[in-house]
């Protein structure tokens, strides 16, 4: 697919909004009506003006009814347009005290919400202007005189109510889902807190907070910080939570329902887990290593866990995998593991990711969303750190390869962008694989560049210096410089702030036996567009000389470079970038004997995996034999999986036989799954079809192996697939994985008779993940078609664009994109207009663009065909005229010839 620009037409440049005051404290006292699905309460904001004549403040308050605004009982004039609340402070002028507020520790750092009275704001922070965030226009009260001295604080009480459609969500049973629990939960990131309480909804505004929630008596309500009081009166329970560390308002949370509590301790820190009643064992299984993670991260980061508690609550219908609300993470209940799922799956990457956010994102927060990689990149890299600690480097490196796949796919098929950018329509637009996976990979490269000691010293300095503050990429760079003396502006410019993309390398290796010289030639082949530079890449090459690995440093800085190394003897292995630390696409040219040796005994598993991939590309009998050996002998499951994948790509009888034997002999579930996946590449092979059909019928101890067998059976186009996959689709499983893969298998089997079956599977009331898989399978079945079946499927997809389930909506959106029928453009336009979810709006706009461009290309091609047809017809006409002229000339010649002949006779 063609790579697109990230910025859609009309995309503005976004900056952090101006601050006219520090928000010192946010107090929310709300009453939740479950039946009516409404909230009513008071939001009290304690503010410290940054100018002496502040006359008005502007707050975000979307789809809320504002009843009264007051200051110490005196009403304040206000206006509210449904999105922005403007409060006139003239009535509060007499309430503004002079000097610092008593009992508050005054501190200021990087745009934090607390500032010492008399302190001068840093450049670009408090300017004394009020930002109207709804229109990005700066409104300057006529009486406002800009000063740099805070004059005290004032508390504004805002009484309000609402029926939130974003920010706060009501979950409960209905006729289609009668067993769904009754719950209420919030999700503020990125800018959705404004939908459930009035606020300065920007990450660089930080304040302490408290939440006083009144809920049904049988409910438990969780929020940030410490529980101050818990009372029940008249069948209503009121729980009061207070958090005394400044944090961004998108991190304020509330989760209420009937939960069981599991309590542990890590030192003096209370660690609690909350799950729906009856799911306690699943919750323990899922988050049970949290205390070990707290220990690891506290030691690595150079700053012990900074809060008094850490809670995790699992809720139904959550719209993300997890959310790192300060001290109280929310998790989707779809990750809760049963015993069978835990055989070969865990949610530790999610658990570790959200925990790491308590440091990166909560304690330190990106100054504006364009720098969001400082939140998400660090949290993503912490997944690697946990896996490295718990299972070893080889397992952690598998995570890196997975990140590479996600980022490379987005880069090649959707867009390429700078990681840190101010160009976006909505903050959610940049919560993508550039932000998460590429951000994590950049930190891994940074760690390799600095070395562990300097890297962790830099991280400790960064965290401690900017604690409770707001940060940008330059703050991380300066912390590294302060801790190590290393000036890495070039590194962050090429990978984060100025450059985009990644290196694409052609690497050739040769050995000169006469001079005992090893030679690596490196060519950067990436196209220098979309801000993609020639990269500067410090890295290593590894030679196996005798039984010893020898690592030698090089630095690639030019389009083409050659590096020479004097060695005592010819190496048996020559590995460019051992450990695959560099984020790059690399084509390797070296002798097959080296690749075979590296597959057999390279020190790191990721290098053996790379060798397996290279052998599969080379092909041949020797490649099959070496891959079969690795499949049976390598000690690490991921190498065996890579060998299986390589054998599948070979598609020879020898490769097939090796895979069929491995199905019976491979005990490790993840490796066995890879074998089953590889067998799916042998289409129309009777032996493979029989084995897969048997696996689908019998099942497997692993949900995931069983699911993979269903998909692979469909790929082989077995005549038994339609019946067996329909049967498999009736099996319940963790995350509905068997049903999902069975539906995909039906699409791969090209079984048009399954269209009605799959349409029924999309119905509201079916399992969410299965519904999503069904519409994707339907799109795959009818891709590129415009017949009646395709029109029926498009109608189903268009209806699901407005489903109540976000994940089904997104799956339907991708299905519409895959079908690429211009007839769906009207439905996509309606989705852009109506949807409150920025993820849906962004993707819909991309698909609209793609369909329109494809249609335009189709029209251009059709017009070109018309032109060609016209030329062809014209050529035919000209040829006919030419033929006629030639015939006339020929006739005249014959006539003249006869005349001459007759004349001679006369």
């Amino acid at each position: 697919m063609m790579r697109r620009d990230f910025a859609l037409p009309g995309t503005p440049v976004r900056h952090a909004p101006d601050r006219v005051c520090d928000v010192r404290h946010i107090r929310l006292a709300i009453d939740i009506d479950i039946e009516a699905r409404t909230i009513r309460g008071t939001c009290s904001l304690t503010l410290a003006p940054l100018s002496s004549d502040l006359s008005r403040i502007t707050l975000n308050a979307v789809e809320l009814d504002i009843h009264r605004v007051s200051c110490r009982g005196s009403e304040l004039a206000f206006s509210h347009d449904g999105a922005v609340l403007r409060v006139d402070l003239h009535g509060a002028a007499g309430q503004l005290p002079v000097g610092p507020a008593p009992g508050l520790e005054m501190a200021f750092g990087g745009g934090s919400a607390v500032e010492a009275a008399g302190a001068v704001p840093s450049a670009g922070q408090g300017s004394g202007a009020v930002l109207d965030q709804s229109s990005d226009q700066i409104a300057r009260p006529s009486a406002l005189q800009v000063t740099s001295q805070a004059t005290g604080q004032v508390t504004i009480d805002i009484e309000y109510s609402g029926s939130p459609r974003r920010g706060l969500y009501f979950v409960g049973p209905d006729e289609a889902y009668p067993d769904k629990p009754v719950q209420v939960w919030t999700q503020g990131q990125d800018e959705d807190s404004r939908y459930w309480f009035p606020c300065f909804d920007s990450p660089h505004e930080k304040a302490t907070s408290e939440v006083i929630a009144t809920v049904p008596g049988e409910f438990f309500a969780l929020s940030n910080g410490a529980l101050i009081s818990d009372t029940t009166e008249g069948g209503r329970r009121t729980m009061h939570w207070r958090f005394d560390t400044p944090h961004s308002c998108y991190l304020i949370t509330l989760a209420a329902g009937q939960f069981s509590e599991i309590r542990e301790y890590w030192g003096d820190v209370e660690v609690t887990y909350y799950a729906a009643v009856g799911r306690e064992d699943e919750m323990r299984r899922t988050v049970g290593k949290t205390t070990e993670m707290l220990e690891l991260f506290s030691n690595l980061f150079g700053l012990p866990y900074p809060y008094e508690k850490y809670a995790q609550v699992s809720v139904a219908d959550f719209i993300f995998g997890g959310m790192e609300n300060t001290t109280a993470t929310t998790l989707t209940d779809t990750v809760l593991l049963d015993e069978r799922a835990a055989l070969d799956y865990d949610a530790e990457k999610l658990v570790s990711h959200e925990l790491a956010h308590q440091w990166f994102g909560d304690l330190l927060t990106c100054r504006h969303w364009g720098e969001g990689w400082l939140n998400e990149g660090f949290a993503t890299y912490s997944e690697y750190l946990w896996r490295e600690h718990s299972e070893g480097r080889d397992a952690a490196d598998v995570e890196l390869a997975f990140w590479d796949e996600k980022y490379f796919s987005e880069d090649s098929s959707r867009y390429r962008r700078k990681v840190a950018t101010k160009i976006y329509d909505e903050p959610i637009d940049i919560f993508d694989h550039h932000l998460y996976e590429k951000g994590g990979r950049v930190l891994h490269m940074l760690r390799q560049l600095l070395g562990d000691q300097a890297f962790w010293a830099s991280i400790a300095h960064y965290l401690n210096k900017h604690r409770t503050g707001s940060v940008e990429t330059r703050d991380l760079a300066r912390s590294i410089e302060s801790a190590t003396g290393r000036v890495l502006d070039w590194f962050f410019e090429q990978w984060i702030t100025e450059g985009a993309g990644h290196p694409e390398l052609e690497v050739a290796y040769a050995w000169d036996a006469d001079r005992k010289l090893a030679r690596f030639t490196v060519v950067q082949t990436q196209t220098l567009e979309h801000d993609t530079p020639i990269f500067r890449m410090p890295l290593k090459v590894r030679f196996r000389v005798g039984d010893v690995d020898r690592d030698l440093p090089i630095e690639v800085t030019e389009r083409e470079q050659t590096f020479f190394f004097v060695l005592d003897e010819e190496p048996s292995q020559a590995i460019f970038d051992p450990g695959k630390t560099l984020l790059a696409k690399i084509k390797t040219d070296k002798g097959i004997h080296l690749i075979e040796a590296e597959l057999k005994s390279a020190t790191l598993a990721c290098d053996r995996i790379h060798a397996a991939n290279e052998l599969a590309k080379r092909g041949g009998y020797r490649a099959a034999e070496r891959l079969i050996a690795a499949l049976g002998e390598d000690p690490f499951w991921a190498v065996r999986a890579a060998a299986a994948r390589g054998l599948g790509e070979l598609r020879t009888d020898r490769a097939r036989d090796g895979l069929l034997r491995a199905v019976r002999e491979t005990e490790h579930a993840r490796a066995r799954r890879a074998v089953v996946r590889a067998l799916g590449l042998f289409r129309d092979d009777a032996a493979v079809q029989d084995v897969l059909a048997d696996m689908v019928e019998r099942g497997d101890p692993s949900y995931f192996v069983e699911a993979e067998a269903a998909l692979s059976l469909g790929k082989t186009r077995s005549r038994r697939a339609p019946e067996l996959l329909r049967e498999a689709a009736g099996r319940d499983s963790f995350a509905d994985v068997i049903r999902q893969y069975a539906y995909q298998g039906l699409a791969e089997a090209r079984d048009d008779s399954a269209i009605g079956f799959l349409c029924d599977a999309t119905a509201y009331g079916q399992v969410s993940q299965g519904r999503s898989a069904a519409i994707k399978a339907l799109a795959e079945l009818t891709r590129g078609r415009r017949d009646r079946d395709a029109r029926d499927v498009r109608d189903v997809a268009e209806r699901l664009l407005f489903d109540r389930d976000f994940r089904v909506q997104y799956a339907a959106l991708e299905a519409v994109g895959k079908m690429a029928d211009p007839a769906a453009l009207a439905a996509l336009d309606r989705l852009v207009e109506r949807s409150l979810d920025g993820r849906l709006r962004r993707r819909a706009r991309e698909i609209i663009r793609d369909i329109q461009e494809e249609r335009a290309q189709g029209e251009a091609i059709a017009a070109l065909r018309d032109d060609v047809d016209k030329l062809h017809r014209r050529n035919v006409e000209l040829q006919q005229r030419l033929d006629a002229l030639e015939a006339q000339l020929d006739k005249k010649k014959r006539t003249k010839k006869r005349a001459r002949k007759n004349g001679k006779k006369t």
Side-chain angles (χ1 to χ4, degrees), residues 329-541:
T329 285
T330 305
L331 301 172
T332 173
D333 65 359
T334 61
V335 300
L336 297 184
L337 300 169
D338 61 32
E339 288 187 89
R340 186 178 172 192
L343 292 175
D344 56 336
Y345 182 84
D346 63 62
E348 291 171 20
K349 65 167 68 176
L350 175 63
V351 176
S352 59
H353 181 108
E354 305 305 338
L355 175 59
H357 267 311
Q358 301 299 312
W359 287 266
F360 303 102
D362 295 5
L363 191 66
L364 276 66
T365 310
C366 60
R367 185 169 178 269
H368 56 87
W369 290 117
E371 294 276 4
W373 85 279
L374 293 169
N375 296 10
E376 300 301 343
F378 271 103
T380 301
Y381 191 54
S382 296
E383 301 170 22
Y384 179 95
L385 297 172
W386 167 251
R387 194 71 71 181
E388 182 181 36
H389 168 81
S390 63
E391 296 183 35
R393 177 172 176 176
D394 285 345
D397 285 344
V398 174
E399 302 283 351
L400 291 185
F402 181 63
W403 299 349
D404 289 353
E405 290 177 13
K406 285 191 166 186
Y407 159 69
F408 286 144
S409 175
E410 182 173 84
D411 174 82
S412 62
S413 65
R414 288 186 66 186
Y415 51 73
R416 171 171 292 182
R417 70 171 183 86
K418 299 172 186 176
V419 174
T421 181
K422 295 183 177 71
I423 304 174
Y424 54 85
D425 283 297
E426 302 177 61
I428 196 65
D429 293 351
I430 58 174
F431 281 72
D432 58 7
H433 298 307
H434 286 68
L435 195 76
Y436 286 77
E437 285 81 6
K438 185 176 182 181
R441 286 297 265 113
V442 169
L443 290 171
H444 188 63
M445 290 188 288
L446 178 64
R447 179 183 170 191
Q448 308 310 310
L449 175 63
L450 291 172
D452 273 9
Q453 183 175 354
F455 177 77
W456 291 119
S458 300
I459 299 307
H461 187 278
Y462 171 66
L463 283 168
N464 284 281
K465 179 178 180 180
H466 298 286
R467 180 174 183 154
T468 74
S470 301
V471 289
E472 297 177 303
T473 301
R474 59 186 174 182
D475 296 311
L476 176 59
R478 296 300 162 268
S479 292
I480 294 169
E481 185 175 345
S482 296
T484 69
R486 299 287 297 275
V487 178
L488 296 183
D489 292 356
W490 64 269
F491 177 87
F492 289 106
E493 285 172 2
Q494 83 174 6
W495 287 110
I496 298 294
T497 60
E498 301 297 329
H502 51 270
E504 297 176 26
L505 307 178
E506 292 181 357
V507 178
Y509 169 79
W511 171 252
D512 185 333
D514 293 334
R515 295 190 292 171
K516 292 189 176 182
L517 278 180
R519 182 183 74 231
F520 270 109
T521 300
V522 184
V523 182
Q524 298 195 46
T525 63
Q526 68 270 14
T527 303
L528 304 185
E529 62 181 9
H530 296 281
D531 298 307
T532 305
I534 292 292
F535 284 86
R536 175 180 173 183
M537 296 169 282
L539 50 88
K540 296 176 181 177
V541 294

Side-chain angles (χ1 to χ4, degrees), residues 155-183:
T155 297
I156 306 296
D157 299 317
I158 305 166
E159 298 174 26
Y160 72 100
S161 62
S163 301
R165 295 192 296 154
R166 297 285 295 176
L168 184 144
Y169 299 81
F170 292 90
V171 176
D174 57 21
E175 291 184 2
Y177 299 97
D179 297 326
K180 186 173 290 186
V182 179
Q183 296 174 350

Side-chain angles (χ1 to χ4, degrees), residues 736-756:
D736 213 28
V737 63
I738 295 175
R739 187 173 288 113
Q740 290 190 65
Y741 277 49
Y743 290 160
Q744 293 177 46
L746 288 169
E748 291 288 348
R750 295 294 180 263
D751 178 18
D752 275 6
S753 70
I755 288 177

